[in-house]
């Protein structure tokens, strides 16, 4: 779990293969970093199995980054407006939007 008012960054050329569910909490501030998952250029996010990943903020994938969702579910939980989902040609296996008042 990543605390509210923070961002999880997978840096350029690095691979993040979570060993379980990832939760990025949102504090509801509306700040760009609050509950955000960012894959930088050339980064890789490698989900596996039926993991459940909750994102309370933005979800952005940089140029040349690789997003492999496996059979996982991404749950977007933002409660503020103006959030961005920018997968740049990637797709999700399963997506749920359940943030009351959230807008993407």
């Amino acid at each position: 779990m990543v605390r509210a008012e923070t961002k999880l960054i997978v840096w350029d050329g690095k691979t993040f293969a979570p060993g379980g569910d990832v939760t990025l909490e949102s504090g509801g501030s509306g700040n760009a970093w609050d509950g955000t998952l960012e894959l930088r250029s050339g980064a890789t996010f490698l989900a596996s199995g039926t993991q459940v990943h909750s994102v309370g903020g933005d979800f952005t994938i940089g140029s040349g980054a690789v997003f492999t969702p496996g059979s996982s579910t991404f749950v977007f939980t933002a409660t503020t407006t103006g959030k961005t989902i920018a997968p740049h040609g990637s797709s999700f296996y399963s997506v749920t939007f359940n943030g009351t008042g959230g807008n993407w």
Side-chain angles (χ1 to χ4, degrees):
M1 178 178 345
V2 178
R3 293 183 348 187
E5 302 301 330
T6 58
K7 174 192 282 193
L8 174 60
I9 299 172
V10 182
W11 292 100
D12 304 67
K14 299 295 182 183
T15 296
F16 178 55
D21 300 344
V22 173
T23 300
L24 302 166
E25 292 186 338
S26 173
S29 69
N31 291 322
W33 57 83
D34 185 26
T36 292
L37 173 59
E38 178 182 350
L39 306 182
R40 295 274 174 102
S41 178
T44 299
F45 184 98
L46 183 58
S48 63
T50 57
Q51 297 169 336
V52 177
H53 306 295
S54 297
V55 179
D58 297 329
F59 179 81
T60 59
I61 298 177
S63 174
V66 175
F67 171 65
T68 304
S71 297
S72 62
T73 298
F74 275 75
V75 181
F76 291 92
T77 62
T79 57
T80 58
T81 62
K83 300 301 178 195
T84 301
I85 300 172
H88 294 284
S90 297
S91 60
F92 296 98
Y93 178 79
S94 176
V95 176
T96 301
F97 294 92
N98 71 357
T100 302
N103 183 304
W104 296 266

